[in-house]
Amino acid sequence: MHTAWEEAGWEQLGDGVARRRMPRWDETIGVIAGTTGVMIVDTGATLRDGADLRRAIRGVLGREVTHVALTHPHFDHVLGTAAFAGVEVFGAAGLGELLRRGKDGLRHDAMRHGVGRDAAAEAADLLVAPHHHVHDQLTVELGDRQVLLANVGPGHTAHDLAVLVPGRGGSPEIVFCGDLVEESGEPQAGPDALPQRWPGALDRLLSLGGEDARYVPGHGAVVDASFVRAQRDALAARFGVAPS
């Protein structure tokens, strides 16, 4: 029997935890529901994406999103944030200033990847910077559920945030990794990556989740600790980083 999440086109990962792989750029959007709060992890590439996600979550839960966690500052993960008006937004320390001064770059990057000019300009103009800055770790209360936000970067970017959902009832922990981990293709090291520090970020990610966690990449299928470790080793070899 399909769950309400699955009927709505999402993949259920655990009790009150689901994710959606967006259709165009395959970016993962996560949702974590507690008794008094609902967190979305990343918001899509446009305001329309964000609005569609907000409606979809409300349709399943009957409640509004209350918290946004942004895993890193790339257009396909942050440009839908303004669709979540009045919601508390969290990001790694320094992300807010980067987004405030980098709106033109985000707009151009979105257009370069196929977002329409008007949609890219609107989303960049209305972009919401984080209200809460995670320097190390921060626990967010969602009623009966605590979610841990961890600044595990830099690596894929200078502002990589992971989201840990503790297991319950014997179920494993779930870690939303952002693009520190990618399964559907080789990890992308753009001009804002810090490749020499990326393997260390994955070490911190593994320490956060442990051996039995389910790791949710920014793009692709859910993986395990052995996959993350293999990707860490491949990145270290690719960028000439000595073993830790």
Side-chain angles (χ1 to χ4, degrees):
M1 178 181 294
H2 290 299
T3 68
W5 284 115
E6 291 164 341
E7 289 175 354
W10 295 64
E11 176 186 357
Q12 185 157 6
L13 303 176
D15 180 24
V17 185
R19 68 95 174 239
R20 183 181 178 195
R21 292 172 67 172
M22 297 296 279
R24 189 163 186 184
W25 293 281
D26 190 40
E27 74 272 26
T28 281
I29 305 297
V31 63
I32 306 151
T35 52
T36 62
V38 179
M39 177 178 287
I40 188 170
V41 181
D42 291 338
T43 59
T46 65
L47 289 176
R48 181 174 179 176
D49 283 348
D52 288 346
L53 289 163
R54 190 169 193 169
R55 281 192 296 269
I57 294 168
R58 185 195 307 126
V60 174
L61 296 175
R63 308 187 267 137
E64 293 288 349
V65 168
T66 56
H67 300 73
V68 170
L70 299 176
T71 63
H72 65 288
H74 287 166
F75 83 94
D76 50 331
H77 296 262
V78 304
L79 283 182
T81 306
F84 296 86
V87 173
E88 296 296 308
V89 181
F90 297 77
L95 177 63
E97 179 58 30
L98 177 68
L99 293 179
R100 279 188 286 269
R101 71 171 187 265
K103 289 184 176 183
D104 284 345
L106 274 171
R107 175 171 57 84
H108 286 298
D109 198 32
M111 290 169 54
R112 184 168 60 86
H113 284 87
V115 175
R117 179 184 298 273
D118 290 345
E122 181 184 33
D125 286 345
L126 298 175
L127 185 61
V128 177
H131 310 110
H132 305 280
H133 312 287
V134 183
H135 293 270
D136 182 16
Q137 296 184 358
L138 178 67
T139 298
V140 178
E141 303 278 351
L142 301 178
D144 64 334
R145 162 167 267 150
Q146 294 184 331
V147 177
L148 181 67
L149 307 182
N151 186 340
V152 295
H156 176 66
T157 71
H159 306 90
D160 292 312
L161 187 77
V163 180
L164 171 71
V165 186
R168 52 167 57 173
S171 62
E173 296 184 325
I174 298 166
V175 184
F176 290 95
C177 307
D179 286 5
L180 281 170
V181 179
E182 296 194 39
E183 185 276 336
S184 55
E186 185 173 281
Q188 297 301 299
D192 57 346
L194 289 89
Q196 295 293 318
R197 301 180 68 178
W198 197 335
L202 292 182
D203 285 335
R204 291 188 288 277
L205 194 68
L206 287 163
S207 295
L208 181 72
E211 284 300 306
D212 298 325
R214 303 184 72 193
Y215 292 87
V216 186
H219 302 265
V222 177
V223 300
D224 59 14
S226 64
F227 181 96
V228 177
R229 190 173 296 105
Q231 194 154 97
R232 182 249 180 252
D233 292 344
L235 285 166
R238 176 178 165 189
F239 297 119
V241 178
S244 59

